[in-house]
């Protein structure tokens, strides 16, 4: 089906491990985003990308790495997971610079 | 601190009633958007209102924007149980450099039968 898909849906890992969350969209949208959602904080932008090979930091980028070698994929890597990175992670995409976002279903990550 | 703050944090109403949620923000915006999130799901875009617009309608939704007060409201008329969800406002600020939306903490709406 067309759309934006995230995997895995749920992930449990241990502190210090590297974890990669996947995001794939079929619309060929230029912009892609990673947000984390925590109680009391709403959604906070981690990283975003305006096009393939162009990425930039958001509000809370520390401890995360992104890449965008292809327009349709935007993986998020936690290089050395910490408990404070336990959260729900959402990937989103948009066609233009100031339009609406389309969200994936999220990845619930627990770091033990 | 959050650019957008929703009020109230939680709202419980009966089916058929209207629900009003408010959003206040701090810096000048290019546009303001409202999203809905059902439990355990991703956010879904509802409506976008530009800074030069004052009111916008979409089905049972009405959004107003007052840039002088830096506030917006979302009205859901004739609510249904299926409207139960969290609602977020998101601002696209003039200094944001292109579609870096800033989300508020949301209003949890419960519509009871």
């Amino acid at each position: 089906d067309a759309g934006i898909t995230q995997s895995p849906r749920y992930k449990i890992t241990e502190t210090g491990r590297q974890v990669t969350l996947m995001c794939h969209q079929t619309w060929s949208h230029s912009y892609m985003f990673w947000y984390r959602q925590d109680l009391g904080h709403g959604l906070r932008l981690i990283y975003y990308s305006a096009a393939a090979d162009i990425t930039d930091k958001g509000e809370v980028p520390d401890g995360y790495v992104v890449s965008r070698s292809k327009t349709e994929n935007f993986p998020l890597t936690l290089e050395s997971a910490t408990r404070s990175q336990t959260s729900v992670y959402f990937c989103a995409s948009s066609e233009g610079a100031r339009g609406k976002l389309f969200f994936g279903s999220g990845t619930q990550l627990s770091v033990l | 601190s959050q650019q957008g703050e929703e009020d109230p944090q939680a709202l419980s109403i009966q089916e058929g009633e209207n629900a009003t949620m408010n959003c206040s923000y701090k810096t000048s915006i290019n546009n303001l958007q409202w999203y809905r999130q059902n439990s355990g799901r991703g956010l879904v875009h509802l409506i976008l209102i530009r800074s030069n617009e004052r009111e916008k309608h979409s089905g049972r939704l009405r959004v107003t924007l007052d840039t002088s007060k830096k506030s917006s409201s979302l009205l859901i008329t004739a609510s249904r149980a299926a409207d139960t969800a969290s609602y977020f406002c998101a601002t696209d600020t003039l200094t944001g450099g292109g579609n870096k939306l800033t989300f508020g903490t949301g209003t949890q709406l419960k519509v009871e039968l």
Side-chain angles (χ1 to χ4, degrees), chain A residues 9 31 33 35 37 40-45 48 56-59 88 90 94-106, chain B residues 1-2 30-31 33 35 37 40-45 48 50 88 92-106:
Chain A
R9 186 76 175 89
Y31 287 81
F33 309 83
Y35 285 88
Q37 185 175 33
H41 289 280
L43 279 84
R44 291 180 291 175
L45 182 64
Y48 70 102
D56 206 349
K57 296 177 180 179
E59 182 185 353
V88 181
F90 288 99
S94 70
E95 187 175 14
R98 294 194 184 276
K100 62 183 181 180
L101 300 189
F102 294 84
F103 280 84
S105 297
Chain B
S1 61
Q2 295 292 325
N30 180 68
N31 67 62
Q33 303 178 32
Y35 288 79
Q37 183 181 33
R41 307 295 296 273
L43 281 74
V44 175
H45 181 267
L48 181 154
R50 292 185 171 79
F88 296 86
D92 175 12
T93 62
L94 291 177
T95 57
N99 221 6
K100 289 193 291 184
L101 292 179
T102 302
F103 286 81
T105 52

Coordinates of all heavy atoms in Angstrom, one line a residue, chain A residues 9 31 33 35 37 40-45 48 56-59 88 90 94-106, chain B residues 1-2 30-31 33 35 37 40-45 48 50 88 92-106:
Chain A
R9 N 7.5 -1.8 14.8 CA 6.4 -1.1 15.5 C 6.7 -1.0 17.0 O 6.4 0.0 17.6 CB 5.1 -2.0 15.3 CG 3.9 -1.3 15.9 CD 3.4 -0.2 15.0 NE 2.1 0.4 15.5 CZ 2.0 1.4 16.4 NH1 3.1 1.9 16.9 NH2 0.9 1.8 16.8
Y31 N 10.4 16.3 1.7 CA 10.7 16.5 3.1 C 10.3 15.3 3.9 O 9.3 14.7 3.7 CB 10.0 17.7 3.6 CG 10.5 19.0 3.1 CD1 10.1 19.5 1.9 CD2 11.4 19.8 3.9 CE1 10.6 20.7 1.4 CE2 11.9 21.0 3.5 CZ 11.5 21.4 2.2 OH 12.0 22.6 1.8
F33 N 10.8 13.8 8.2 CA 11.0 14.3 9.5 C 11.0 13.1 10.5 O 10.3 12.1 10.3 CB 9.9 15.3 10.0 CG 9.7 16.4 9.0 CD1 8.8 16.2 7.9 CD2 10.2 17.6 9.2 CE1 8.6 17.2 7.0 CE2 10.0 18.6 8.3 CZ 9.2 18.4 7.2
Y35 N 10.2 12.8 14.6 CA 9.8 13.4 15.9 C 9.8 12.3 17.0 O 9.6 11.1 16.7 CB 8.3 13.9 15.8 CG 8.2 15.2 15.0 CD1 8.0 15.2 13.6 CD2 8.2 16.4 15.6 CE1 7.8 16.3 12.9 CE2 8.0 17.6 14.9 CZ 7.8 17.6 13.5 OH 7.6 18.7 12.8
Q37 N 7.7 11.6 20.7 CA 6.6 12.0 21.5 C 6.7 11.5 22.9 O 6.8 10.3 23.2 CB 5.3 11.5 20.9 CG 4.0 12.0 21.6 CD 2.8 11.6 20.9 OE1 2.6 10.6 20.3 NE2 1.8 12.5 21.0
G40 N 3.9 15.2 28.3 CA 4.2 16.5 28.8 C 5.0 17.3 27.9 O 5.3 18.5 28.1
H41 N 5.5 16.7 26.8 CA 6.4 17.5 25.8 C 5.8 17.5 24.5 O 6.3 18.2 23.6 CB 7.7 16.8 25.7 CG 8.6 17.0 26.9 ND1 9.3 18.1 27.2 CD2 8.8 16.1 28.0 CE1 9.9 18.0 28.4 NE2 9.7 16.8 28.8
G42 N 4.7 16.8 24.2 CA 4.2 16.8 22.9 C 5.2 16.2 21.9 O 5.9 15.3 22.3
L43 N 5.2 16.6 20.7 CA 6.1 16.1 19.7 C 7.3 17.1 19.5 O 7.1 18.3 19.4 CB 5.5 15.9 18.3 CG 4.6 14.7 18.1 CD1 3.2 14.9 18.7 CD2 4.5 14.3 16.7
R44 N 8.5 16.5 19.6 CA 9.7 17.3 19.4 C 10.5 16.8 18.2 O 10.7 15.6 18.0 CB 10.5 17.3 20.6 CG 9.9 18.0 21.8 CD 10.8 18.0 23.1 NE 10.9 16.6 23.6 CZ 11.6 16.3 24.6 NH1 12.4 17.2 25.2 NH2 11.7 15.0 25.1
L45 N 10.9 17.8 17.4 CA 11.6 17.4 16.1 C 13.1 17.0 16.4 O 13.8 17.7 17.1 CB 11.6 18.6 15.2 CG 12.2 18.4 13.8 CD1 11.5 17.4 13.0 CD2 12.3 19.8 13.1
Y48 N 15.4 16.5 10.4 CA 14.6 16.6 9.2 C 15.5 16.6 7.9 O 16.7 16.8 8.0 CB 13.7 17.8 9.2 CG 14.3 19.1 9.0 CD1 14.3 19.8 7.8 CD2 14.9 19.7 10.1 CE1 14.9 21.1 7.7 CE2 15.6 21.0 10.0 CZ 15.5 21.6 8.8 OH 16.1 22.8 8.7
D56 N 19.2 18.0 8.4 CA 19.5 19.1 9.4 C 18.9 18.8 10.7 O 18.0 18.0 10.8 CB 19.0 20.4 8.9 CG 19.8 21.6 9.4 OD1 20.6 21.4 10.4 OD2 19.6 22.7 9.0
K57 N 19.5 19.4 11.8 CA 19.1 19.1 13.1 C 17.8 19.8 13.5 O 17.5 20.9 13.0 CB 20.2 19.6 14.1 CG 21.5 18.8 14.0 CD 22.5 19.4 14.9 CE 23.9 18.7 14.8 NZ 24.9 19.2 15.7
G58 N 17.0 19.2 14.3 CA 15.9 19.8 14.9 C 16.1 20.3 16.3 O 17.2 20.7 16.6
E59 N 15.1 20.1 17.1 CA 15.1 20.6 18.5 C 16.0 19.7 19.4 O 16.7 20.2 20.3 CB 13.7 20.8 19.0 CG 13.6 21.3 20.4 CD 12.2 21.3 20.9 OE1 11.2 21.0 20.1 OE2 11.9 21.6 22.1
V88 N 8.1 7.3 22.0 CA 7.5 6.9 20.7 C 8.0 7.8 19.6 O 8.0 9.0 19.8 CB 5.9 7.0 20.8 CG1 5.3 6.6 19.5 CG2 5.4 6.2 22.0
F90 N 8.0 9.1 15.7 CA 7.2 9.2 14.5 C 8.0 9.8 13.4 O 8.7 10.7 13.5 CB 6.0 10.1 14.8 CG 5.0 9.5 15.6 CD1 4.9 9.8 17.0 CD2 4.0 8.6 15.1 CE1 3.9 9.3 17.8 CE2 3.1 8.1 15.9 CZ 3.0 8.4 17.3
S94 N 6.4 15.4 3.9 CA 5.6 16.4 3.3 C 6.1 16.7 1.9 O 7.3 16.6 1.6 CB 5.5 17.7 4.1 OG 6.8 18.4 4.1
E95 N 5.2 17.2 1.1 CA 5.5 17.4 -0.3 C 6.3 18.7 -0.5 O 7.3 18.8 -1.2 CB 4.2 17.5 -1.2 CG 4.5 17.6 -2.6 CD 3.2 17.5 -3.4 OE1 2.1 17.7 -2.8 OE2 3.3 17.3 -4.6
G96 N 5.9 19.7 0.3 CA 6.5 21.0 0.1 C 7.1 21.5 1.4 O 7.0 20.9 2.4
A97 N 7.6 22.8 1.3 CA 8.3 23.3 2.5 C 7.4 23.8 3.6 O 7.8 23.8 4.7 CB 9.2 24.5 2.0
R98 N 6.1 24.1 3.3 CA 5.2 24.6 4.3 C 3.8 24.0 4.2 O 2.9 24.7 4.5 CB 5.1 26.1 4.2 CG 6.5 26.8 4.4 CD 6.3 28.3 4.6 NE 7.6 29.0 4.8 CZ 8.2 29.1 6.0 NH1 7.7 28.5 7.0 NH2 9.3 29.7 6.1
G99 N 3.8 22.7 3.9 CA 2.5 22.1 3.8 C 2.2 21.1 5.0 O 2.9 21.2 6.0
K100 N 1.2 20.3 4.8 CA 0.8 19.4 5.9 C 1.7 18.2 5.9 O 2.4 17.8 4.9 CB -0.6 19.0 5.7 CG -0.9 18.2 4.4 CD -2.3 17.9 4.3 CE -2.6 17.1 3.0 NZ -4.1 16.8 2.9
L101 N 1.8 17.6 7.1 CA 2.7 16.4 7.3 C 1.8 15.2 7.2 O 0.7 15.2 7.7 CB 3.4 16.5 8.6 CG 4.3 17.7 8.9 CD1 5.1 17.4 10.2 CD2 5.3 17.9 7.7
F102 N 2.4 14.1 6.7 CA 1.8 12.8 6.7 C 2.7 11.9 7.7 O 3.9 11.8 7.5 CB 1.8 12.2 5.4 CG 0.9 12.9 4.4 CD1 1.4 14.0 3.7 CD2 -0.4 12.5 4.2 CE1 0.6 14.7 2.8 CE2 -1.2 13.2 3.3 CZ -0.7 14.3 2.6
F103 N 2.0 11.3 8.7 CA 2.8 10.6 9.7 C 2.6 9.1 9.5 O 1.6 8.6 9.1 CB 2.2 11.0 11.1 CG 2.7 12.3 11.6 CD1 2.1 13.5 11.2 CD2 3.8 12.3 12.5 CE1 2.5 14.7 11.7 CE2 4.2 13.6 13.0 CZ 3.6 14.7 12.6
G104 N 3.7 8.4 9.9 CA 3.7 7.0 10.1 C 3.0 6.6 11.4 O 2.6 7.5 12.1
S105 N 2.9 5.3 11.6 CA 2.2 4.8 12.8 C 3.0 4.8 14.0 O 2.5 4.6 15.1 CB 1.6 3.4 12.5 OG 0.7 3.4 11.5
G106 N 4.3 5.1 13.9 CA 5.1 5.2 15.1 C 5.9 3.9 15.5 O 5.5 2.8 15.1
Chain B
S1 N 10.8 25.8 25.8 CA 9.3 25.8 26.0 C 8.6 25.7 24.7 O 9.1 26.0 23.6 CB 8.9 27.1 26.7 OG 9.2 28.2 25.9
Q2 N 7.3 25.2 24.8 CA 6.6 24.9 23.6 C 6.2 26.2 22.9 O 5.8 27.2 23.5 CB 5.3 24.1 24.0 CG 5.6 22.8 24.5 CD 6.2 21.8 23.5 OE1 5.9 21.9 22.3 NE2 7.2 21.0 23.9
N30 N 3.8 31.5 9.9 CA 3.4 31.5 8.5 C 2.1 30.8 8.3 O 1.2 31.2 7.6 CB 4.5 30.7 7.7 CG 4.2 30.6 6.2 OD1 4.2 31.6 5.5 ND2 3.8 29.4 5.8
N31 N 1.9 29.7 9.1 CA 0.6 29.0 9.1 C 0.5 28.2 10.4 O 1.5 28.0 11.1 CB 0.4 28.1 7.9 CG 1.3 26.9 7.9 OD1 1.3 26.0 8.8 ND2 2.1 26.8 6.9
Q33 N -1.5 24.7 12.0 CA -2.2 23.4 11.6 C -2.7 22.7 12.8 O -2.1 22.8 13.9 CB -1.2 22.5 10.8 CG -0.5 23.2 9.6 CD 0.5 22.3 8.9 OE1 0.4 21.1 8.9 NE2 1.5 23.0 8.3
Y35 N -3.9 18.8 14.1 CA -3.8 17.4 13.8 C -4.6 16.6 14.9 O -4.8 17.1 16.0 CB -2.3 16.9 13.9 CG -1.5 17.4 12.8 CD1 -1.0 18.7 12.7 CD2 -1.2 16.5 11.7 CE1 -0.2 19.1 11.7 CE2 -0.4 17.0 10.6 CZ 0.1 18.3 10.6 OH 0.8 18.7 9.6
Q37 N -4.9 12.7 16.8 CA -4.1 11.5 17.1 C -5.0 10.5 17.8 O -5.4 10.8 19.0 CB -2.8 11.7 17.8 CG -2.0 10.4 18.0 CD -0.8 10.7 18.8 OE1 -0.7 11.5 19.7 NE2 0.3 9.9 18.5
G40 N -2.5 5.3 20.2 CA -1.6 4.3 19.6 C -1.4 4.5 18.1 O -0.8 3.6 17.5
R41 N -1.8 5.6 17.5 CA -1.7 5.8 16.1 C -0.9 7.1 15.8 O -0.5 7.9 16.7 CB -3.1 6.0 15.4 CG -4.0 4.8 15.8 CD -3.5 3.5 15.2 NE -3.5 3.6 13.7 CZ -4.5 3.3 12.9 NH1 -5.7 3.0 13.4 NH2 -4.3 3.3 11.6
G42 N -0.5 7.3 14.5 CA 0.1 8.5 14.1 C -0.8 9.6 14.0 O -2.0 9.5 14.1
L43 N -0.3 10.8 13.8 CA -1.1 12.0 13.7 C -1.7 12.1 12.3 O -1.0 11.8 11.3 CB -0.3 13.3 14.0 CG 0.0 13.6 15.5 CD1 1.0 12.6 16.1 CD2 0.4 15.0 15.7
V44 N -2.9 12.7 12.3 CA -3.5 12.9 11.0 C -3.8 14.4 10.9 O -4.4 15.0 11.8 CB -4.8 12.1 10.9 CG1 -5.6 12.4 9.6 CG2 -4.5 10.6 11.0
H45 N -3.5 14.9 9.7 CA -3.7 16.4 9.5 C -5.2 16.6 9.3 O -5.9 15.9 8.6 CB -3.0 16.8 8.2 CG -3.1 18.2 7.9 ND1 -4.1 18.7 7.0 CD2 -2.4 19.3 8.3 CE1 -4.0 20.0 6.9 NE2 -3.0 20.4 7.7
L48 N -5.3 23.4 7.8 CA -4.2 24.3 7.8 C -4.8 25.7 7.6 O -5.6 25.9 6.7 CB -3.2 24.0 6.7 CG -2.0 24.9 6.5 CD1 -0.8 24.1 5.9 CD2 -2.2 26.1 5.7
R50 N -3.6 29.8 7.1 CA -2.5 30.7 6.9 C -2.6 31.9 7.7 O -3.7 32.3 8.2 CB -2.4 31.0 5.4 CG -2.0 29.8 4.6 CD -1.8 30.1 3.1 NE -1.2 29.0 2.4 CZ -1.9 27.9 2.0 NH1 -3.2 27.8 2.2 NH2 -1.3 26.9 1.4
F88 N -3.8 18.3 18.4 CA -2.6 19.1 18.5 C -2.6 20.2 17.5 O -3.0 20.1 16.4 CB -1.4 18.2 18.2 CG -1.1 17.1 19.2 CD1 -1.7 15.9 19.0 CD2 -0.3 17.3 20.3 CE1 -1.5 14.8 19.9 CE2 0.0 16.3 21.2 CZ -0.7 15.0 21.0
D92 N 4.0 26.8 12.1 CA 5.1 26.9 11.1 C 5.5 28.4 11.3 O 4.9 29.3 10.8 CB 4.6 26.6 9.7 CG 5.7 26.9 8.7 OD1 6.9 27.1 9.1 OD2 5.3 26.9 7.5
T93 N 6.6 28.6 12.0 CA 7.0 29.9 12.3 C 7.8 30.6 11.2 O 8.4 29.9 10.3 CB 7.9 30.0 13.6 OG1 9.1 29.2 13.3 CG2 7.2 29.4 14.8
L94 N 7.8 31.9 11.1 CA 8.4 32.6 10.1 C 9.9 32.4 10.1 O 10.6 32.5 9.1 CB 8.1 34.1 10.2 CG 6.7 34.5 9.8 CD1 6.5 36.0 10.1 CD2 6.3 34.1 8.4
T95 N 10.5 32.2 11.3 CA 11.9 32.0 11.4 C 12.3 30.5 11.4 O 13.4 30.1 11.5 CB 12.5 32.6 12.7 OG1 11.8 32.0 13.8 CG2 12.3 34.1 12.7
G96 N 11.3 29.6 11.1 CA 11.5 28.2 11.2 C 12.3 27.6 10.1 O 12.7 26.5 10.1
G97 N 12.5 28.3 9.0 CA 13.3 27.8 7.9 C 12.6 26.7 7.1 O 13.3 25.8 6.7
G98 N 11.3 26.7 7.0 CA 10.7 25.7 6.1 C 10.2 24.5 6.8 O 11.0 23.6 7.0
N99 N 9.0 24.4 7.1 CA 8.2 23.2 7.5 C 8.8 22.6 8.7 O 8.7 21.3 8.8 CB 8.1 22.2 6.4 CG 6.7 21.6 6.4 OD1 5.8 22.0 7.2 ND2 6.5 20.7 5.5
K100 N 9.4 23.3 9.6 CA 9.8 22.7 10.9 C 8.7 23.0 11.9 O 8.8 23.9 12.6 CB 11.1 23.2 11.4 CG 12.3 22.7 10.5 CD 13.6 23.0 11.2 CE 13.9 24.5 11.2 NZ 15.3 24.7 11.8
L101 N 7.6 22.2 11.8 CA 6.5 22.5 12.7 C 6.8 22.3 14.1 O 7.5 21.3 14.5 CB 5.3 21.6 12.3 CG 4.7 21.8 10.9 CD1 3.6 20.8 10.7 CD2 4.1 23.2 10.8
T102 N 6.3 23.1 15.0 CA 6.4 23.0 16.4 C 5.0 22.7 17.0 O 4.1 23.4 16.8 CB 6.9 24.3 17.0 OG1 8.2 24.6 16.4 CG2 7.1 24.1 18.5
F103 N 5.0 21.5 17.7 CA 3.7 21.0 18.2 C 3.5 21.4 19.6 O 4.4 21.5 20.4 CB 3.7 19.5 18.0 CG 3.5 19.0 16.6 CD1 4.5 18.9 15.8 CD2 2.2 18.6 16.2 CE1 4.4 18.5 14.5 CE2 2.0 18.2 14.9 CZ 3.1 18.1 14.0
G104 N 2.2 21.6 20.0 CA 1.9 21.8 21.4 C 1.7 20.4 22.0 O 2.0 19.4 21.4
T105 N 1.3 20.5 23.3 CA 1.2 19.2 24.1 C -0.2 18.5 23.9 O -0.3 17.4 24.4 CB 1.5 19.5 25.6 OG1 0.6 20.6 26.0 CG2 2.9 19.9 25.8
G106 N -1.1 19.2 23.3 CA -2.3 18.5 22.9 C -3.5 18.7 23.9 O -3.3 18.9 25.1

